Structures are given as C-alpha cells and as structure tokens.
Amino acid sequence: MTYSASTSDWAVEADGLVKTFGTNRAVDGIDLRVATGTVYGVLGPNGAGKTTTISMLATLLKPDAGSARIFGHDVQRESQVVRQLIGVTGQYASVDETLSATENLVLFSRLLGLSSSQAKVKAHDLLEEFHLTDAAKRPLKNFSGGMRRRLDLAASLIAQPPLIFLDEPTTGLDPRTRMQMWDTIRRLVSTGSTVLLTTQYLDEADQLADRIAVIDRGRVVAEGTSNELKASVGESSLELRLADNRDLDDVRVAIERVLGVDPTVSPEAGRITAPMNNPDRVTELLVTLREEGIHLAELSVAKPTLDEVFLTLTGRGVDDAETENTAELEGSRA
Amino acid sequence: MTTTTITPSPRPTTTIVPGVQRTLKNRVSIAETLSHTVTMAYRGLLKIKRTPEQLFDVTLQPIIFTLMFTYIFGGAIAGNVQNYLPIIIPGILVQTVITTSVVTGVQLREDMDKGVFDRFRSLPIARIAPLSGALLADTVRYLIATTLTITMGVIMGLRPAGGMGGVVAAALLVIVCSWAISWIFAFFGVIARTASSVQGISMLVLFPLTFLSNAFVPANTMPGWLQWFVNINPVSHLVTAVRDLMNNGTFGADAWISLLGAAVIVAIFAPLTVKAYMRKA
Ligand SMILES: Nc1ncnc2c1ncn2[C@@H]1O[C@H](COP(=O)(O)OP(=O)(O)O)[C@@H](O)[C@H]1O
Ligand SMILES: [Mg+2]
C-alpha cells in the first residue's frame, strides 16, 4: 500500500498522549503541534516525561491512550511510513559500541537501502561533516561524549529525514562542544529539516527553538514562543532577601503595587522573587521600600532559569519536581 | 525513496525533500527483509571480528574436550584411543556445537538492552531483521566449532571411513540441527530479563540433554531407566546420525529423526520467539 502526499502543515500532531508505567503516569495527556520547518523545544526537568513522549512519537513505544501523526501519518497504523520520515537521536548513545564510526554509518546506510559503495561515500561525507574523520576507524569506547553525540546525530541524518528528534542533545557536554552542537542543529534547520528537541536548559530552548512546550509530570504546563514564555515569567527576575522576615507581607504588597506582578515568597528563606519586565521600575520599588523603612539584606537580578519558569508555572521548583518524582519511584518500588 | 542520491561534496547543501512530497510505503517486502537480515548478519560477523575473545569458547572447548575425553575415556571404553576416536569425535562435535548455540540467546538479550537497538527499531526496516540476522551470523560460529573439532580429531589420528562426503554431510547436519536448537535459546533470550539468566536457564536445559546421551559413552553400559531416556533423547539420535555419516557414509533413520526433530523445534519455537520478540521490538 503506498501513501501519497497528504496536505499537512504539521510535522507533528499529538493529541492526548498517555503512557503509564505501573502506577506512574509518565506522560499524562500531552498535546503538541509542531509546524513544518521549525525547531520545537520540549523543556522540562528530569523525569518530566520528555523521553517517553519522544519514544511514542518515534514509534518506539505504544501510547496507552491518545494518538499522534507525523506529517499526517499515524504513528501506530502507519509506523513504517513514519520511520521513513524521522531520524532519532536518543538521550543515550544509539550506535553500536563494538563497531567503529565508519562501520556504524555503513551499517545504518545499508539498512536504509544504500548500495555498498553509496554507503561508503555517505559514511565518509557524514564523518567529514561532523569532524569525525580522524576518529573514523577508532573503536567507540575511546570516543568523548561530544564525539559520540555527533556520531549519533550523523547516523540519524543518513536518510535526510524531514523530521529529527533530538533527546537532550547537549546534556553532559562541555560548553564549547555544546555551542558546536547548537551550530549543527541550526545548520540542519537551514536545510529544511524540522527538529523536535528536548532539553533541561531554558537557555538552550531559548537559543534554538521557535516554540517551546514546558512539561512537568507528564503534562504541558505552558506553550509558546520563547518571548511569550519569558514574558510570563518576566524578562529577568528580581530577588530580595529581607533583614527582617516580618516585613515580607509589606514587601509583597509593594511589589504588586509598583511592579504590577505577583511575587513568589519563600518565608523560611526570607526571600521574595518577582518577575521583572521593566528594570526601570526597580528604582521605584527600592524608593518605596526605603520610604516604608524596610531594610534589605540582599538584592540580586537574575536571568530567568528553568527553576523560575517552573516556580511561576507550577508553584514549585525543579528540585521539588525531582524529589517528587523520586518519591513516586521509590513508592512504586516499595 | 527519493533521498538516496549521494552528494559527494563534504558539506551537502541539498535541501531536504519535504515529508509531504515523499512517496512512502507501510510494508517491507520479502526481498527487503532478506537484505536487512544479511546486513544484520554482517554486523554480527563484524562484532566477532572486533571482539575475537568471544570466540574463546567456540575455539577452546573443542580442543580441550577432544584431548581430555579421548585420553581419559579412550582406554576404558574402546580399549585404546585409536578405536575411541570414531565414537567420541561425533559426540564432542554435537555437544560443542549445541553448546555454542546458547550464545545466540545470551547475545540477543545483551543486544536488545543496548541503545543501538532503539535505533534499529526507529529505522524503516523489517522488524525481524535483528533477530534473523543474529541467528544467521551464528551459523558461522557453528562452522568454526565444527571445523576445529573435526581437525582436532584428524590430528589425533581419526581417519573417517565415511570419506570427505560423509564428513561434510555430518558437519552440515550438526550445523542445521544446532541452528534449530538456537531458536530455543533465542526464545529465552527474548523473554529473559538479564543475559546471565539466559545463560543459567540454557545450561540447565543443555547439560542433561548433552550428557544424558550416547555422546561419550555407549548407552548399553547405563542402568535401564537411564537407557530409556538416552534412547529417546534427540541428541542421541543426532550423535548416532553423525557417527553413521562419518564412519560409514550412510544417511540413516537417525539422521531423518534428527532433521524431523530440528523441524519440530523450529516449528514450535520460531513462532513463539518471533511473537515474543515482536511484542518487545
Ligand atoms: N521503561 C520504564 N519503566 C518504568 N518507568 C519508566 C520507564 N521509562 C520512564 N519511566 C518513568 O517515567 C517518568 C518519565 O521518564 P522520562 O520520559 O525518561 O523523563 P525525562 O526524559 O523527561 O527525564 C519517570 O518518572 C521515569 O522514572
Ligand atoms: Mg530523558
């Protein structure tokens, strides 16, 4: 049965995806829309359900409920078609450790239908493109994390798939290698690929993604462009530590009045965090505080981190989210 | 697919063919399945080449067993070593090659736990290829074990009366039967949780089958109840068939029984294994 062109502008459409492991709802009703030709970032802490979501979209895992289509093709009914349209670079190396880089690329090329000589040319080109030529014959055991990731990505590009899944492509890489990976991803997009990547870093999603979905405990808690997302958290955030905790309430009221935003209060730490859309207003706030005779122990301005995005969206920090996930896991094992 | 054109330039500037403009199919043809299987088998051979130490069991066991058993039992069972060789070499051959087939299950389990398996599953290839490829590549191990055992025998003075034809036929029979038996271990490999448990279960099955047979000692020296088992044990039939072929050049009832047994094993375990495998793959 052959499928001809369908007229879908969406590279990925997921509706109500659910995956349960035992009692743990790893993915709990996720909807996604990824437009063709864009980079889409799925941002979330460890255990949020990113890998599980990608696995379902990439036909590696069967959803318990919901459906997904890749360029209009259903991942379950037309899984073999979907596999012809995607490249998957997993969170953990998905290359054969016992083979050399060249042997890996030739193997995958052959499986994808290239002739023996075409496969060799392809392997050679990809190794050159990803600066791995010098290491082509060395066993993978001696590869650095960055080299392994590059080889992994190269292997995903053999068939020049129009959609590429990248699961945490830079986690564990040093800053320089990370920048190189970002460049590579940008280059991919410029050739017309659609990229869906997951990350734990807001700045990565910010740098690369046209749109971002923030996920937590298997749910999408926010979705939008990087700017929309940051606007909901504040361009930067203001953090105040008070000399006297009894002033917390007064400060909160002052922030609401002067900055017009809802601050997050951590009473134990005597700390108040507020999104700061307009840095000029901070001067006004400080003046107000002095007029009211409130003393500050510390003041800092920070770019929003994933932690703050989280705090704003869910009312809890990333650390809390991870602790909860661990607790759930331990609970299910007990 | 329209994307298999190769651009020789180091930095391909070709734009990617959009998903909606591609012609795609949701089926893998038989020819493609065979081609994927051969490629996967090629991978298996490359792995053997890269990690030759995993061939130790295949190479050392025939050598050590042949030396040990021949000199220990030779005098007691056949009067002297020379007369024992035609009895023991077929026995060791069968035992060694069948033991080798356990590796299929162990390696399959190890492989399925690795990241590369996720990539195989994400490629538009026949689902069965990693399994069928592994089974195909393993026949090379059987060939190595067979060649070494027979060579050892010849070095020690075995002169098979069945001639070259008989020896080759015997070798083929052993390889075919071991391949059939490897489906049992492949099944364990697919359903087990860890590679070491595959090894454990397989050895538990294998030990009684190979030792409670006529491989090393003629059945008529054993107590009655044991003779009963030894005589119905398919391994005994295979050993007898190999002896007939090597020593007389005859393809008799035992050979047919062995082939029938092999067919039955494949008929039962191939569907079971494939079904269990497809559920996980
Ligand atoms: N194969 C599995 N079996 C049981 N639980 C799993 C499995 N895979 C993932 N989980 C659980 O599902 C949740 C989401 O995991 P995952 O998708 O890997 O998150 P992320 O990739 O965002 O870190 C976690 O709580 C994890 O422990
Ligand atoms: Mg993950």
Side-chain angles (χ1 to χ4, degrees), chain A residues 52-313:
Chain A
T52 309
T53 304
I54 283 205
S55 300
M56 287 189 282
L57 295 176
T59 76
L60 300 177
L61 204 61
K62 198 172 152 311
D64 292 333
S67 65
R69 284 166 306 289
I70 303 295
F71 296 108
H73 299 283
D74 188 272
V75 292
Q76 290 192 71
R77 272 181 292 115
E78 299 165 62
S79 52
Q80 210 57 308
V81 167
V82 168
R83 291 182 190 121
Q84 288 160 58
L85 294 167
I86 60 172
V88 188
T89 301
Q91 184 172 0
Y92 308 103
S94 34
V95 285
D96 195 324
E97 305 268 319
T98 44
L99 306 184
S100 73
T102 305
E103 285 166 345
N104 264 293
L105 293 178
V106 168
L107 169 70
F108 297 130
S109 303
R110 295 284 284 144
L111 287 173
L112 285 164
L114 271 63
S115 74
S116 178
S117 56
Q118 282 174 328
K120 280 188 193 116
V121 174
K122 190 85 193 173
H124 174 268
D125 289 352
L126 282 170
L127 289 172
E128 199 150 294
E129 191 180 346
F130 285 87
H131 310 289
L132 287 168
T133 309
D134 294 340
K137 292 204 163 52
R138 267 194 272 149
L140 293 199
K141 290 177 194 82
N142 309 333
F143 269 40
S144 68
M147 289 161 79
R148 234 172 253 240
R149 280 291 163 85
R150 295 209 299 274
L151 178 63
D152 223 329
L153 184 52
S156 308
L157 301 183
I158 291 168
Q160 297 187 317
L163 172 64
I164 294 156
F165 292 106
L166 299 172
D167 197 3
E168 301 201 18
T170 68
T171 301
L173 298 186
D174 61 74
R176 197 175 62 94
T177 322
R178 200 154 164 238
M179 294 296 178
Q180 286 174 352
M181 189 54 99
W182 286 3
D183 283 342
T184 309
I185 295 170
R186 288 196 186 100
R187 195 147 41 84
L188 267 178
V189 179
S190 69
T191 63
S193 271
T194 307
V195 174
L196 189 154
L197 64 88
T198 72
T199 180
Q200 301 192 30
Y201 311 115
L202 180 63
D203 64 328
E204 182 159 289
D206 191 11
Q207 287 283 330
L208 296 172
D210 299 307
R211 288 188 80 83
I212 300 169
V214 181
I215 70 167
D216 176 40
R217 293 193 281 183
R219 295 216 174 121
V220 177
V221 292
E223 208 269 354
T225 64
S226 177
N227 281 337
E228 286 167 359
L229 209 65
K230 278 192 283 181
S232 75
V233 191
E235 198 54 47
S236 306
S237 70
L238 178 69
E239 192 175 301
L240 304 176
R241 206 190 292 278
L242 306 186
D244 188 343
N245 269 1
R246 282 169 298 183
D247 293 332
L248 273 173
D249 265 341
D250 294 337
V251 177
R252 191 166 51 91
V253 172
I255 289 176
E256 278 167 5
R257 184 160 39 90
V258 179
L259 299 183
V261 294
D262 220 5
T264 313
V265 185
S266 339
E268 323 81 49
R271 195 179 59 190
I272 291 195
T273 316
M276 191 175 70
N277 299 317
N278 183 352
D280 285 346
R281 295 255 185 88
V282 174
T283 329
E284 282 173 47
L285 176 69
L286 294 178
V287 171
T288 312
L289 292 181
R290 194 175 59 189
E291 282 169 357
E292 293 187 11
I294 295 169
H295 294 281
L296 297 176
E298 206 178 295
L299 173 146
S300 58
V301 175
K303 284 262 173 211
T305 61
L306 175 57
D307 207 40
E308 268 134 4
V309 175
F310 247 75
L311 211 62
T312 314
L313 294 170

Side-chain angles (χ1 to χ4, degrees), chain A residues 19-22 24-27 42-55 61 91-92 167-168 198-200 215 217-218 324-326 328-329 332-333:
Chain A
K19 185 75 201 179
T20 317
F21 296 111
N24 176 10
R25 286 176 84 83
V27 173
V42 172
L43 175 68
N46 221 342
K50 301 183 295 297
T51 301
T52 309
T53 304
I54 283 205
S55 300
L61 204 61
Q91 184 172 0
Y92 308 103
D167 197 3
E168 301 201 18
T198 72
T199 180
Q200 301 192 30
I215 70 167
R217 293 193 281 183
E324 273 172 39
N325 278 328
T326 323
E328 262 168 38
L329 204 69
S332 68
R333 277 201 193 118

